[in-house]
């Protein structure tokens, strides 16, 4: 892990635990989860928002005004809006993506959930999603939320990541293993 990533993760962990505890004490975890969804949507869809949090050309005052306006426009909770304003005053907005990941993990842990990253060769049907979620729940012992993406280069099968575990049943990986075996023989 790079030093700057480690610093960002540490800063995000401190802000994240404070925001999480405030939301938990105020019975506002659902509102916090909605705020995270809103902020992630803004980060994914707005180049201007990404520039605002990362670019050093914006002054603290510029960032503070922009964040206050955006928080109001997005309908963010007071806790998250205040945290973003504090982060802008401390020039810490660059850790926002890390902060959202920390908060997602804390909320999932509180709910007894775990997130599985699933890559599939084709879109999964509702029945397939349900069966996969049930199988993973039995395996990990927690409720599983799945982020499913389609990667046609897999040819067939799935790649499932849950925490540090990875299960690769893709045809691509089986063909690669067969190719390596053939190289050893020939």
């Amino acid at each position: 892990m790079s030093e700057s990533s480690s610093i960002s993760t540490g800063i995000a962990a401190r802000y994240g635990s404070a925001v999480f505890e405030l939301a938990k004490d105020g019975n506002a975890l659902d509102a916090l989860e909605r705020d995270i969804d809103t902020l992630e949507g803004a980060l994914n869809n707005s180049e201007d928002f990404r520039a605002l949090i990362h670019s050093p050309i914006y002054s603290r005052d510029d960032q503070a005004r922009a964040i206050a306006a955006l928080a109001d426009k997005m309908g963010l909770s007071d806790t998250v809006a205040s945290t973003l304003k504090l982060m802008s005053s401390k020039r810490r907005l660059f850790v926002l993506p890390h902060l959202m990941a920390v908060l997602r993990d804390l909320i999932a842990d509180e709910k007894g959930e775990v997130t599985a990253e699933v890559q599939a060769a084709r879109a999964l049907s509702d029945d397939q999603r349900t069966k996969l979620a049930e199988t993973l729940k039995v395996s990990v012992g927690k409720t599983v939320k799945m982020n499913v993406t389609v990667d046609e280069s897999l040819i067939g099968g799935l790649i499932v990541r849950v925490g540090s575990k990875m299960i690769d049943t893709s045809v691509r990986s089986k063909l690669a293993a067969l190719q390596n075996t053939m190289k050893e023989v020939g």
Side-chain angles (χ1 to χ4, degrees):
M1 184 183 302
S2 72
E3 187 176 330
S4 63
S5 179
S6 176
I7 291 169
S8 296
T9 303
I11 293 168
R14 289 190 299 275
Y15 278 104
S17 63
V19 170
F20 176 77
E21 289 301 323
L22 286 170
K24 185 177 171 184
D25 290 347
N27 293 320
L29 288 179
D30 290 338
L32 179 59
E33 206 163 9
R34 282 190 302 276
D35 289 349
I36 294 168
D37 291 339
T38 301
L39 286 168
E40 281 181 344
L43 277 173
N44 291 336
N45 299 322
S46 175
E47 181 65 37
D48 291 336
F49 187 54
R50 287 190 299 273
L52 174 70
I53 68 168
H54 290 294
S55 179
I57 65 169
Y58 296 104
S59 71
R60 289 175 200 245
D61 292 337
D62 291 340
Q63 281 185 331
R65 281 192 302 275
I67 286 297
L70 287 170
D72 186 46
K73 186 84 168 169
M74 291 178 184
L76 299 178
S77 66
D78 290 340
T79 302
V80 172
S82 297
T83 302
L84 292 177
K85 290 173 193 171
L86 175 64
M87 290 171 68
S88 70
S89 73
K90 303 283 187 187
R91 301 291 287 180
R92 299 279 194 242
L93 284 176
F94 66 93
V95 303
L96 187 57
H98 293 282
L99 174 64
M100 290 185 296
V102 166
L103 288 170
R104 283 229 185 267
D105 289 344
L106 290 170
I107 291 169
D109 193 45
E110 178 71 17
K111 290 181 171 183
E113 295 176 344
V114 67
T115 300
E117 299 296 329
V118 179
Q119 288 180 297
R122 283 182 231 100
L124 299 177
S125 69
D126 290 340
D127 188 44
Q128 289 171 322
R129 283 176 181 262
T130 302
K131 286 180 182 177
L132 180 59
E134 288 171 2
T135 302
L136 291 172
K137 182 177 181 176
V138 169
S139 175
V140 298
K142 293 183 176 182
T143 302
V144 177
K145 286 177 108 176
M146 295 188 307
N147 292 333
V148 181
T149 57
V150 175
D151 181 358
E152 293 177 359
S153 72
L154 297 178
I155 305 169
L158 301 168
I159 297 175
V160 180
R161 288 183 186 87
V162 180
S164 62
K165 293 181 185 178
M166 183 174 99
I167 304 163
D168 189 345
T169 64
S170 67
V171 173
R172 180 180 67 189
S173 71
K174 291 179 181 178
L175 288 173
L178 181 60
Q179 185 178 24
N180 287 335
T181 304
M182 303 265 306
K183 286 179 183 176
E184 292 172 7
V185 172

